[in-house]
Amino acid sequence: MSTASGSSGPAGALPAVSVDGDPDELLGTAEVASPFAYGSVASFSSALSQGRIPELAELETLERRAGSRGGARKKWRRATVVAARERGVLPLTSAQRCARA
């Protein structure tokens, strides 16, 4: 389950995130990239910046941590991300590809 704390840990390590959860929970880029078959935060961020995920172009919020030297973290509600997934905007997971076959 997600902690909605953003990406922490080694670069490229994505957290395990379930699409079943609080629909109002805010998910960061690592949490969004993980369950939707992006291999890394960088590949998700690239797709987002290139406009390939138009449903997520609008952020739900930018979150700044007190005492943090980094920039604000992008956040989306889980319901927004799941809705984008259901409309086929985000890549399918391997399990979803098998279910459709």
Side-chain angles (χ1 to χ4, degrees), residues 32 35-38 43-44 47-48 50-58 76 79-93 96 100:
V32 174
F36 300 112
Y38 283 97
S43 63
F44 169 76
L48 189 64
Q50 292 174 23
R52 293 188 306 207
I53 314 170
E55 303 232 2
L56 299 182
E58 295 287 325
W76 296 267
T80 301
V81 173
V82 171
R85 157 52 106 224
E86 289 173 355
R87 286 192 276 284
V89 174
L90 300 173
L92 296 174
T93 64
Q96 289 169 322
R100 286 190 174 184

PDB file of all heavy atoms in Angstrom, residues 32 35-38 43-44 47-48 50-58 76 79-93 96 100:
ATOM      1  N   VAL A  32       2.215   6.751  -8.898  1.00  0.00           N
ATOM      2  CA  VAL A  32       1.438   6.661 -10.134  1.00  0.00           C
ATOM      3  C   VAL A  32       2.169   5.800 -11.157  1.00  0.00           C
ATOM      4  O   VAL A  32       1.563   5.000 -11.860  1.00  0.00           O
ATOM      5  CB  VAL A  32       1.136   8.068 -10.702  1.00  0.00           C
ATOM      6  CG1 VAL A  32       0.459   7.976 -12.054  1.00  0.00           C
ATOM      7  CG2 VAL A  32       0.269   8.860  -9.724  1.00  0.00           C
ATOM      8  N   PRO A  35       1.995   1.234 -10.390  1.00  0.00           N
ATOM      9  CA  PRO A  35       0.979   0.248 -10.763  1.00  0.00           C
ATOM     10  C   PRO A  35       0.560   0.304 -12.231  1.00  0.00           C
ATOM     11  O   PRO A  35      -0.217  -0.513 -12.688  1.00  0.00           O
ATOM     12  CB  PRO A  35      -0.210   0.596  -9.866  1.00  0.00           C
ATOM     13  CG  PRO A  35      -0.054   2.039  -9.593  1.00  0.00           C
ATOM     14  CD  PRO A  35       1.438   2.290  -9.569  1.00  0.00           C
ATOM     15  N   PHE A  36       1.091   1.253 -12.971  1.00  0.00           N
ATOM     16  CA  PHE A  36       0.650   1.419 -14.342  1.00  0.00           C
ATOM     17  C   PHE A  36       1.733   1.133 -15.354  1.00  0.00           C
ATOM     18  O   PHE A  36       1.751   1.688 -16.446  1.00  0.00           O
ATOM     19  CB  PHE A  36       0.052   2.799 -14.532  1.00  0.00           C
ATOM     20  CG  PHE A  36      -1.124   3.003 -13.619  1.00  0.00           C
ATOM     21  CD1 PHE A  36      -1.061   3.892 -12.582  1.00  0.00           C
ATOM     22  CD2 PHE A  36      -2.265   2.241 -13.772  1.00  0.00           C
ATOM     23  CE1 PHE A  36      -2.136   4.056 -11.728  1.00  0.00           C
ATOM     24  CE2 PHE A  36      -3.346   2.391 -12.920  1.00  0.00           C
ATOM     25  CZ  PHE A  36      -3.276   3.306 -11.896  1.00  0.00           C
ATOM     26  N   ALA A  37       2.639   0.240 -14.997  1.00  0.00           N
ATOM     27  CA  ALA A  37       3.605  -0.348 -15.916  1.00  0.00           C
ATOM     28  C   ALA A  37       4.687   0.591 -16.427  1.00  0.00           C
ATOM     29  O   ALA A  37       5.342   0.274 -17.405  1.00  0.00           O
ATOM     30  CB  ALA A  37       2.895  -1.027 -17.088  1.00  0.00           C
ATOM     31  N   TYR A  38       4.866   1.734 -15.805  1.00  0.00           N
ATOM     32  CA  TYR A  38       6.023   2.547 -16.161  1.00  0.00           C
ATOM     33  C   TYR A  38       7.217   1.950 -15.439  1.00  0.00           C
ATOM     34  O   TYR A  38       7.127   1.595 -14.267  1.00  0.00           O
ATOM     35  CB  TYR A  38       5.826   4.015 -15.770  1.00  0.00           C
ATOM     36  CG  TYR A  38       4.914   4.722 -16.736  1.00  0.00           C
ATOM     37  CD1 TYR A  38       3.576   4.881 -16.473  1.00  0.00           C
ATOM     38  CD2 TYR A  38       5.410   5.194 -17.948  1.00  0.00           C
ATOM     39  CE1 TYR A  38       2.739   5.495 -17.383  1.00  0.00           C
ATOM     40  CE2 TYR A  38       4.589   5.814 -18.855  1.00  0.00           C
ATOM     41  CZ  TYR A  38       3.250   5.961 -18.569  1.00  0.00           C
ATOM     42  OH  TYR A  38       2.434   6.569 -19.472  1.00  0.00           O
ATOM     43  N   SER A  43      10.536   7.588 -16.779  1.00  0.00           N
ATOM     44  CA  SER A  43       9.730   7.289 -17.966  1.00  0.00           C
ATOM     45  C   SER A  43       8.317   7.837 -17.816  1.00  0.00           C
ATOM     46  O   SER A  43       7.733   8.348 -18.776  1.00  0.00           O
ATOM     47  CB  SER A  43       9.716   5.792 -18.273  1.00  0.00           C
ATOM     48  OG  SER A  43       9.126   5.062 -17.230  1.00  0.00           O
ATOM     49  N   PHE A  44       7.751   7.774 -16.611  1.00  0.00           N
ATOM     50  CA  PHE A  44       6.436   8.361 -16.369  1.00  0.00           C
ATOM     51  C   PHE A  44       6.496   9.878 -16.545  1.00  0.00           C
ATOM     52  O   PHE A  44       5.650  10.460 -17.234  1.00  0.00           O
ATOM     53  CB  PHE A  44       5.941   8.018 -14.962  1.00  0.00           C
ATOM     54  CG  PHE A  44       4.720   8.804 -14.568  1.00  0.00           C
ATOM     55  CD1 PHE A  44       3.482   8.460 -15.081  1.00  0.00           C
ATOM     56  CD2 PHE A  44       4.810   9.883 -13.714  1.00  0.00           C
ATOM     57  CE1 PHE A  44       2.346   9.187 -14.738  1.00  0.00           C
ATOM     58  CE2 PHE A  44       3.695  10.612 -13.372  1.00  0.00           C
ATOM     59  CZ  PHE A  44       2.464  10.260 -13.879  1.00  0.00           C
ATOM     60  N   ALA A  47       6.705  10.784 -20.224  1.00  0.00           N
ATOM     61  CA  ALA A  47       5.412  10.633 -20.902  1.00  0.00           C
ATOM     62  C   ALA A  47       4.471  11.774 -20.523  1.00  0.00           C
ATOM     63  O   ALA A  47       3.772  12.331 -21.376  1.00  0.00           O
ATOM     64  CB  ALA A  47       4.783   9.289 -20.543  1.00  0.00           C
ATOM     65  N   LEU A  48       4.487  12.153 -19.263  1.00  0.00           N
ATOM     66  CA  LEU A  48       3.637  13.236 -18.782  1.00  0.00           C
ATOM     67  C   LEU A  48       4.016  14.559 -19.441  1.00  0.00           C
ATOM     68  O   LEU A  48       3.160  15.274 -19.959  1.00  0.00           O
ATOM     69  CB  LEU A  48       3.746  13.337 -17.258  1.00  0.00           C
ATOM     70  CG  LEU A  48       2.788  14.269 -16.555  1.00  0.00           C
ATOM     71  CD1 LEU A  48       1.352  13.793 -16.727  1.00  0.00           C
ATOM     72  CD2 LEU A  48       3.144  14.342 -15.079  1.00  0.00           C
ATOM     73  N   GLN A  50       5.531  15.044 -22.212  1.00  0.00           N
ATOM     74  CA  GLN A  50       5.315  15.003 -23.660  1.00  0.00           C
ATOM     75  C   GLN A  50       3.835  14.991 -24.029  1.00  0.00           C
ATOM     76  O   GLN A  50       3.481  14.900 -25.198  1.00  0.00           O
ATOM     77  CB  GLN A  50       6.007  13.776 -24.257  1.00  0.00           C
ATOM     78  CG  GLN A  50       7.507  13.864 -24.195  1.00  0.00           C
ATOM     79  CD  GLN A  50       8.174  12.589 -24.661  1.00  0.00           C
ATOM     80  OE1 GLN A  50       7.595  11.798 -25.403  1.00  0.00           O
ATOM     81  NE2 GLN A  50       9.403  12.370 -24.233  1.00  0.00           N
ATOM     82  N   GLY A  51       2.965  15.063 -23.020  1.00  0.00           N
ATOM     83  CA  GLY A  51       1.539  15.129 -23.272  1.00  0.00           C
ATOM     84  C   GLY A  51       0.898  13.799 -23.618  1.00  0.00           C
ATOM     85  O   GLY A  51      -0.222  13.750 -24.124  1.00  0.00           O
ATOM     86  N   ARG A  52       1.584  12.684 -23.341  1.00  0.00           N
ATOM     87  CA  ARG A  52       1.033  11.366 -23.669  1.00  0.00           C
ATOM     88  C   ARG A  52       0.032  10.871 -22.637  1.00  0.00           C
ATOM     89  O   ARG A  52      -0.585   9.821 -22.825  1.00  0.00           O
ATOM     90  CB  ARG A  52       2.158  10.354 -23.850  1.00  0.00           C
ATOM     91  CG  ARG A  52       3.001  10.658 -25.076  1.00  0.00           C
ATOM     92  CD  ARG A  52       3.973   9.573 -25.353  1.00  0.00           C
ATOM     93  NE  ARG A  52       4.771   9.314 -24.159  1.00  0.00           N
ATOM     94  CZ  ARG A  52       6.002   8.826 -24.177  1.00  0.00           C
ATOM     95  NH1 ARG A  52       6.568   8.520 -25.317  1.00  0.00           N
ATOM     96  NH2 ARG A  52       6.651   8.629 -23.066  1.00  0.00           N
ATOM     97  N   ILE A  53      -0.122  11.610 -21.548  1.00  0.00           N
ATOM     98  CA  ILE A  53      -1.090  11.247 -20.509  1.00  0.00           C
ATOM     99  C   ILE A  53      -1.944  12.486 -20.236  1.00  0.00           C
ATOM    100  O   ILE A  53      -1.854  13.106 -19.188  1.00  0.00           O
ATOM    101  CB  ILE A  53      -0.391  10.777 -19.218  1.00  0.00           C
ATOM    102  CG1 ILE A  53       0.722   9.786 -19.522  1.00  0.00           C
ATOM    103  CG2 ILE A  53      -1.410  10.148 -18.265  1.00  0.00           C
ATOM    104  CD1 ILE A  53       1.594   9.467 -18.341  1.00  0.00           C
ATOM    105  N   PRO A  54      -2.776  12.878 -21.196  1.00  0.00           N
ATOM    106  CA  PRO A  54      -3.514  14.137 -21.056  1.00  0.00           C
ATOM    107  C   PRO A  54      -4.436  14.180 -19.847  1.00  0.00           C
ATOM    108  O   PRO A  54      -4.679  15.260 -19.301  1.00  0.00           O
ATOM    109  CB  PRO A  54      -4.302  14.237 -22.365  1.00  0.00           C
ATOM    110  CG  PRO A  54      -4.355  12.852 -22.907  1.00  0.00           C
ATOM    111  CD  PRO A  54      -3.110  12.167 -22.425  1.00  0.00           C
ATOM    112  N   GLU A  55      -4.923  13.042 -19.396  1.00  0.00           N
ATOM    113  CA  GLU A  55      -5.831  13.032 -18.255  1.00  0.00           C
ATOM    114  C   GLU A  55      -5.114  13.393 -16.951  1.00  0.00           C
ATOM    115  O   GLU A  55      -5.765  13.730 -15.973  1.00  0.00           O
ATOM    116  CB  GLU A  55      -6.483  11.660 -18.117  1.00  0.00           C
ATOM    117  CG  GLU A  55      -7.210  11.283 -19.380  1.00  0.00           C
ATOM    118  CD  GLU A  55      -8.625  10.863 -19.139  1.00  0.00           C
ATOM    119  OE1 GLU A  55      -9.098  10.878 -18.005  1.00  0.00           O
ATOM    120  OE2 GLU A  55      -9.241  10.513 -20.135  1.00  0.00           O
ATOM    121  N   LEU A  56      -3.812  13.311 -16.946  1.00  0.00           N
ATOM    122  CA  LEU A  56      -3.063  13.661 -15.738  1.00  0.00           C
ATOM    123  C   LEU A  56      -2.304  14.968 -15.888  1.00  0.00           C
ATOM    124  O   LEU A  56      -1.468  15.310 -15.046  1.00  0.00           O
ATOM    125  CB  LEU A  56      -2.096  12.525 -15.370  1.00  0.00           C
ATOM    126  CG  LEU A  56      -2.743  11.183 -15.053  1.00  0.00           C
ATOM    127  CD1 LEU A  56      -1.680  10.163 -14.667  1.00  0.00           C
ATOM    128  CD2 LEU A  56      -3.777  11.310 -13.954  1.00  0.00           C
ATOM    129  N   ALA A  57      -2.591  15.718 -16.948  1.00  0.00           N
ATOM    130  CA  ALA A  57      -1.899  16.989 -17.169  1.00  0.00           C
ATOM    131  C   ALA A  57      -2.188  17.991 -16.052  1.00  0.00           C
ATOM    132  O   ALA A  57      -1.325  18.788 -15.679  1.00  0.00           O
ATOM    133  CB  ALA A  57      -2.299  17.580 -18.524  1.00  0.00           C
ATOM    134  N   GLU A  58      -3.384  17.952 -15.514  1.00  0.00           N
ATOM    135  CA  GLU A  58      -3.755  18.829 -14.405  1.00  0.00           C
ATOM    136  C   GLU A  58      -3.436  18.138 -13.083  1.00  0.00           C
ATOM    137  O   GLU A  58      -3.975  17.067 -12.801  1.00  0.00           O
ATOM    138  CB  GLU A  58      -5.250  19.155 -14.453  1.00  0.00           C
ATOM    139  CG  GLU A  58      -5.661  19.963 -15.654  1.00  0.00           C
ATOM    140  CD  GLU A  58      -5.201  21.400 -15.560  1.00  0.00           C
ATOM    141  OE1 GLU A  58      -5.169  21.953 -14.443  1.00  0.00           O
ATOM    142  OE2 GLU A  58      -4.856  21.960 -16.615  1.00  0.00           O
ATOM    143  N   TRP A  76      -1.617  13.459  -7.455  1.00  0.00           N
ATOM    144  CA  TRP A  76      -2.907  13.215  -8.076  1.00  0.00           C
ATOM    145  C   TRP A  76      -3.731  12.349  -7.140  1.00  0.00           C
ATOM    146  O   TRP A  76      -3.193  11.485  -6.458  1.00  0.00           O
ATOM    147  CB  TRP A  76      -2.759  12.467  -9.396  1.00  0.00           C
ATOM    148  CG  TRP A  76      -2.030  13.205 -10.448  1.00  0.00           C
ATOM    149  CD1 TRP A  76      -2.572  14.005 -11.423  1.00  0.00           C
ATOM    150  CD2 TRP A  76      -0.624  13.211 -10.683  1.00  0.00           C
ATOM    151  NE1 TRP A  76      -1.581  14.508 -12.222  1.00  0.00           N
ATOM    152  CE2 TRP A  76      -0.365  14.036 -11.790  1.00  0.00           C
ATOM    153  CE3 TRP A  76       0.463  12.613 -10.044  1.00  0.00           C
ATOM    154  CZ2 TRP A  76       0.905  14.275 -12.285  1.00  0.00           C
ATOM    155  CZ3 TRP A  76       1.744  12.850 -10.524  1.00  0.00           C
ATOM    156  CH2 TRP A  76       1.946  13.672 -11.639  1.00  0.00           C
ATOM    157  N   ALA A  79      -8.365   8.314  -7.377  1.00  0.00           N
ATOM    158  CA  ALA A  79      -9.542   8.198  -8.252  1.00  0.00           C
ATOM    159  C   ALA A  79      -9.251   8.753  -9.648  1.00  0.00           C
ATOM    160  O   ALA A  79      -9.703   8.187 -10.645  1.00  0.00           O
ATOM    161  CB  ALA A  79     -10.730   8.930  -7.629  1.00  0.00           C
ATOM    162  N   THR A  80      -8.500   9.835  -9.739  1.00  0.00           N
ATOM    163  CA  THR A  80      -8.149  10.424 -11.034  1.00  0.00           C
ATOM    164  C   THR A  80      -7.264   9.471 -11.823  1.00  0.00           C
ATOM    165  O   THR A  80      -7.468   9.252 -13.022  1.00  0.00           O
ATOM    166  CB  THR A  80      -7.421  11.770 -10.829  1.00  0.00           C
ATOM    167  OG1 THR A  80      -8.273  12.653 -10.096  1.00  0.00           O
ATOM    168  CG2 THR A  80      -7.035  12.405 -12.143  1.00  0.00           C
ATOM    169  N   VAL A  81      -6.298   8.884 -11.152  1.00  0.00           N
ATOM    170  CA  VAL A  81      -5.364   7.964 -11.798  1.00  0.00           C
ATOM    171  C   VAL A  81      -6.090   6.699 -12.263  1.00  0.00           C
ATOM    172  O   VAL A  81      -5.897   6.247 -13.394  1.00  0.00           O
ATOM    173  CB  VAL A  81      -4.199   7.618 -10.838  1.00  0.00           C
ATOM    174  CG1 VAL A  81      -3.304   6.545 -11.421  1.00  0.00           C
ATOM    175  CG2 VAL A  81      -3.406   8.867 -10.509  1.00  0.00           C
ATOM    176  N   VAL A  82      -6.949   6.156 -11.420  1.00  0.00           N
ATOM    177  CA  VAL A  82      -7.688   4.940 -11.775  1.00  0.00           C
ATOM    178  C   VAL A  82      -8.632   5.222 -12.944  1.00  0.00           C
ATOM    179  O   VAL A  82      -8.747   4.415 -13.870  1.00  0.00           O
ATOM    180  CB  VAL A  82      -8.440   4.370 -10.552  1.00  0.00           C
ATOM    181  CG1 VAL A  82      -9.386   3.254 -10.945  1.00  0.00           C
ATOM    182  CG2 VAL A  82      -7.435   3.873  -9.510  1.00  0.00           C
ATOM    183  N   ALA A  83      -9.286   6.385 -12.938  1.00  0.00           N
ATOM    184  CA  ALA A  83     -10.175   6.748 -14.050  1.00  0.00           C
ATOM    185  C   ALA A  83      -9.396   6.859 -15.355  1.00  0.00           C
ATOM    186  O   ALA A  83      -9.860   6.412 -16.411  1.00  0.00           O
ATOM    187  CB  ALA A  83     -10.894   8.055 -13.744  1.00  0.00           C
ATOM    188  N   ALA A  84      -8.205   7.436 -15.300  1.00  0.00           N
ATOM    189  CA  ALA A  84      -7.365   7.536 -16.499  1.00  0.00           C
ATOM    190  C   ALA A  84      -6.995   6.141 -16.989  1.00  0.00           C
ATOM    191  O   ALA A  84      -7.024   5.862 -18.189  1.00  0.00           O
ATOM    192  CB  ALA A  84      -6.109   8.348 -16.200  1.00  0.00           C
ATOM    193  N   ARG A  85      -6.680   5.255 -16.068  1.00  0.00           N
ATOM    194  CA  ARG A  85      -6.341   3.871 -16.411  1.00  0.00           C
ATOM    195  C   ARG A  85      -7.523   3.172 -17.088  1.00  0.00           C
ATOM    196  O   ARG A  85      -7.378   2.498 -18.103  1.00  0.00           O
ATOM    197  CB  ARG A  85      -5.914   3.138 -15.143  1.00  0.00           C
ATOM    198  CG  ARG A  85      -6.040   1.661 -15.165  1.00  0.00           C
ATOM    199  CD  ARG A  85      -5.401   0.993 -16.333  1.00  0.00           C
ATOM    200  NE  ARG A  85      -4.205   0.343 -15.932  1.00  0.00           N
ATOM    201  CZ  ARG A  85      -3.077   0.402 -16.624  1.00  0.00           C
ATOM    202  NH1 ARG A  85      -2.995   1.113 -17.691  1.00  0.00           N
ATOM    203  NH2 ARG A  85      -2.038  -0.260 -16.256  1.00  0.00           N
ATOM    204  N   GLU A  86      -8.721   3.361 -16.535  1.00  0.00           N
ATOM    205  CA  GLU A  86      -9.906   2.704 -17.084  1.00  0.00           C
ATOM    206  C   GLU A  86     -10.256   3.207 -18.478  1.00  0.00           C
ATOM    207  O   GLU A  86     -10.844   2.491 -19.266  1.00  0.00           O
ATOM    208  CB  GLU A  86     -11.091   2.879 -16.134  1.00  0.00           C
ATOM    209  CG  GLU A  86     -10.924   2.060 -14.866  1.00  0.00           C
ATOM    210  CD  GLU A  86     -11.985   2.338 -13.823  1.00  0.00           C
ATOM    211  OE1 GLU A  86     -12.830   3.242 -14.011  1.00  0.00           O
ATOM    212  OE2 GLU A  86     -11.955   1.653 -12.789  1.00  0.00           O
ATOM    213  N   ARG A  87      -9.899   4.436 -18.797  1.00  0.00           N
ATOM    214  CA  ARG A  87     -10.162   4.982 -20.123  1.00  0.00           C
ATOM    215  C   ARG A  87      -9.044   4.638 -21.104  1.00  0.00           C
ATOM    216  O   ARG A  87      -9.051   5.085 -22.239  1.00  0.00           O
ATOM    217  CB  ARG A  87     -10.347   6.494 -20.040  1.00  0.00           C
ATOM    218  CG  ARG A  87     -11.689   6.860 -19.428  1.00  0.00           C
ATOM    219  CD  ARG A  87     -12.007   8.313 -19.602  1.00  0.00           C
ATOM    220  NE  ARG A  87     -11.442   9.205 -18.619  1.00  0.00           N
ATOM    221  CZ  ARG A  87     -11.877   9.377 -17.381  1.00  0.00           C
ATOM    222  NH1 ARG A  87     -12.884   8.679 -16.942  1.00  0.00           N
ATOM    223  NH2 ARG A  87     -11.298  10.234 -16.578  1.00  0.00           N
ATOM    224  N   GLY A  88      -8.070   3.852 -20.643  1.00  0.00           N
ATOM    225  CA  GLY A  88      -7.014   3.397 -21.538  1.00  0.00           C
ATOM    226  C   GLY A  88      -5.920   4.408 -21.782  1.00  0.00           C
ATOM    227  O   GLY A  88      -5.153   4.278 -22.718  1.00  0.00           O
ATOM    228  N   VAL A  89      -5.827   5.419 -20.932  1.00  0.00           N
ATOM    229  CA  VAL A  89      -4.826   6.459 -21.106  1.00  0.00           C
ATOM    230  C   VAL A  89      -3.451   5.977 -20.669  1.00  0.00           C
ATOM    231  O   VAL A  89      -2.451   6.315 -21.278  1.00  0.00           O
ATOM    232  CB  VAL A  89      -5.227   7.720 -20.303  1.00  0.00           C
ATOM    233  CG1 VAL A  89      -4.136   8.765 -20.333  1.00  0.00           C
ATOM    234  CG2 VAL A  89      -6.513   8.292 -20.863  1.00  0.00           C
ATOM    235  N   LEU A  90      -3.415   5.178 -19.626  1.00  0.00           N
ATOM    236  CA  LEU A  90      -2.148   4.706 -19.083  1.00  0.00           C
ATOM    237  C   LEU A  90      -1.863   3.305 -19.604  1.00  0.00           C
ATOM    238  O   LEU A  90      -2.773   2.569 -19.960  1.00  0.00           O
ATOM    239  CB  LEU A  90      -2.200   4.708 -17.558  1.00  0.00           C
ATOM    240  CG  LEU A  90      -2.462   6.081 -16.941  1.00  0.00           C
ATOM    241  CD1 LEU A  90      -2.664   5.945 -15.441  1.00  0.00           C
ATOM    242  CD2 LEU A  90      -1.340   7.036 -17.233  1.00  0.00           C
ATOM    243  N   PRO A  91      -0.590   2.910 -19.667  1.00  0.00           N
ATOM    244  CA  PRO A  91      -0.260   1.568 -20.168  1.00  0.00           C
ATOM    245  C   PRO A  91      -0.858   0.486 -19.274  1.00  0.00           C
ATOM    246  O   PRO A  91      -1.013   0.670 -18.087  1.00  0.00           O
ATOM    247  CB  PRO A  91       1.266   1.540 -20.132  1.00  0.00           C
ATOM    248  CG  PRO A  91       1.664   2.615 -19.213  1.00  0.00           C
ATOM    249  CD  PRO A  91       0.578   3.646 -19.228  1.00  0.00           C
ATOM    250  N   LEU A  92      -1.187  -0.634 -19.879  1.00  0.00           N
ATOM    251  CA  LEU A  92      -1.742  -1.760 -19.135  1.00  0.00           C
ATOM    252  C   LEU A  92      -0.644  -2.522 -18.404  1.00  0.00           C
ATOM    253  O   LEU A  92       0.466  -2.644 -18.898  1.00  0.00           O
ATOM    254  CB  LEU A  92      -2.446  -2.728 -20.088  1.00  0.00           C
ATOM    255  CG  LEU A  92      -3.663  -2.204 -20.825  1.00  0.00           C
ATOM    256  CD1 LEU A  92      -4.134  -3.249 -21.833  1.00  0.00           C
ATOM    257  CD2 LEU A  92      -4.768  -1.857 -19.865  1.00  0.00           C
ATOM    258  N   THR A  93      -0.997  -3.058 -17.240  1.00  0.00           N
ATOM    259  CA  THR A  93      -0.076  -3.946 -16.546  1.00  0.00           C
ATOM    260  C   THR A  93      -0.089  -5.281 -17.278  1.00  0.00           C
ATOM    261  O   THR A  93      -0.990  -5.561 -18.063  1.00  0.00           O
ATOM    262  CB  THR A  93      -0.502  -4.165 -15.080  1.00  0.00           C
ATOM    263  OG1 THR A  93      -1.758  -4.828 -15.078  1.00  0.00           O
ATOM    264  CG2 THR A  93      -0.579  -2.862 -14.313  1.00  0.00           C
ATOM    265  N   GLN A  96      -3.336  -7.139 -16.745  1.00  0.00           N
ATOM    266  CA  GLN A  96      -4.459  -6.597 -17.508  1.00  0.00           C
ATOM    267  C   GLN A  96      -4.352  -6.976 -18.990  1.00  0.00           C
ATOM    268  O   GLN A  96      -5.362  -7.249 -19.625  1.00  0.00           O
ATOM    269  CB  GLN A  96      -4.526  -5.085 -17.349  1.00  0.00           C
ATOM    270  CG  GLN A  96      -4.973  -4.678 -15.975  1.00  0.00           C
ATOM    271  CD  GLN A  96      -4.797  -3.203 -15.713  1.00  0.00           C
ATOM    272  OE1 GLN A  96      -3.810  -2.611 -16.146  1.00  0.00           O
ATOM    273  NE2 GLN A  96      -5.754  -2.607 -15.038  1.00  0.00           N
ATOM    274  N   ARG A 100      -7.240  -9.291 -21.089  1.00  0.00           N
ATOM    275  CA  ARG A 100      -7.894  -8.837 -22.325  1.00  0.00           C
ATOM    276  C   ARG A 100      -7.684  -9.808 -23.475  1.00  0.00           C
ATOM    277  O   ARG A 100      -8.398  -9.764 -24.453  1.00  0.00           O
ATOM    278  CB  ARG A 100      -7.370  -7.461 -22.728  1.00  0.00           C
ATOM    279  CG  ARG A 100      -7.904  -6.365 -21.860  1.00  0.00           C
ATOM    280  CD  ARG A 100      -7.548  -5.037 -22.440  1.00  0.00           C
ATOM    281  NE  ARG A 100      -8.188  -3.979 -21.671  1.00  0.00           N
ATOM    282  CZ  ARG A 100      -8.115  -2.722 -21.997  1.00  0.00           C
ATOM    283  NH1 ARG A 100      -7.424  -2.340 -23.060  1.00  0.00           N
ATOM    284  NH2 ARG A 100      -8.720  -1.812 -21.272  1.00  0.00           N
TER     285      ARG A 100
END
